[in-house]
Amino acid sequence: MAKVPSAVVAASGIVGGYGVARWTRKRQLGGAVLVGAGAVAAQQWRERAGGKAAGALTAAYVAAFAGSHPLAKKVGAWPAVFGVAGAVALASWAVADRNG
């Protein structure tokens, strides 16, 4: 089975978490998607780039989620979500996926 890049997992967690929360109107379900994908991505980061990199990328993932809220007030919800998801995906690719 092909490995899914951690960049895809992380970006999907942010976009999917928001989408699930919005469409079901249950923030807890969206949070579960966000946390689940984040845990999978963190495990991949640890395996591919080590503990320090995994910690930094996990912090970036959480910061992106938190930062999407004030950003959404300026640019709209979906553009904010896609923007921060792209930033996390780029960081993840650069640190953990590029050489794998």
Side-chain angles (χ1 to χ4, degrees), residues 3-7 10 14 17 22 27 38 43 45 48-51 53 61 63 65 73 76 79 81 87-89 99:
K3 291 184 179 179
V4 177
S6 62
I14 292 171
R22 181 174 178 135
R27 294 177 75 178
Q43 179 65 31
W45 295 329
R48 296 175 187 173
Y61 184 81
F65 166 70
K73 293 179 182 189
V81 168
V88 168
N99 296 325

Side-chain angles (χ1 to χ4, degrees), residues 24-49:
T24 64
R25 298 180 187 206
K26 295 186 187 323
R27 294 177 75 178
Q28 299 86 348
L29 289 178
V33 170
L34 180 78
V35 170
V40 170
Q43 179 65 31
Q44 290 178 321
W45 295 329
R46 192 174 309 106
E47 291 170 358
R48 296 175 187 173

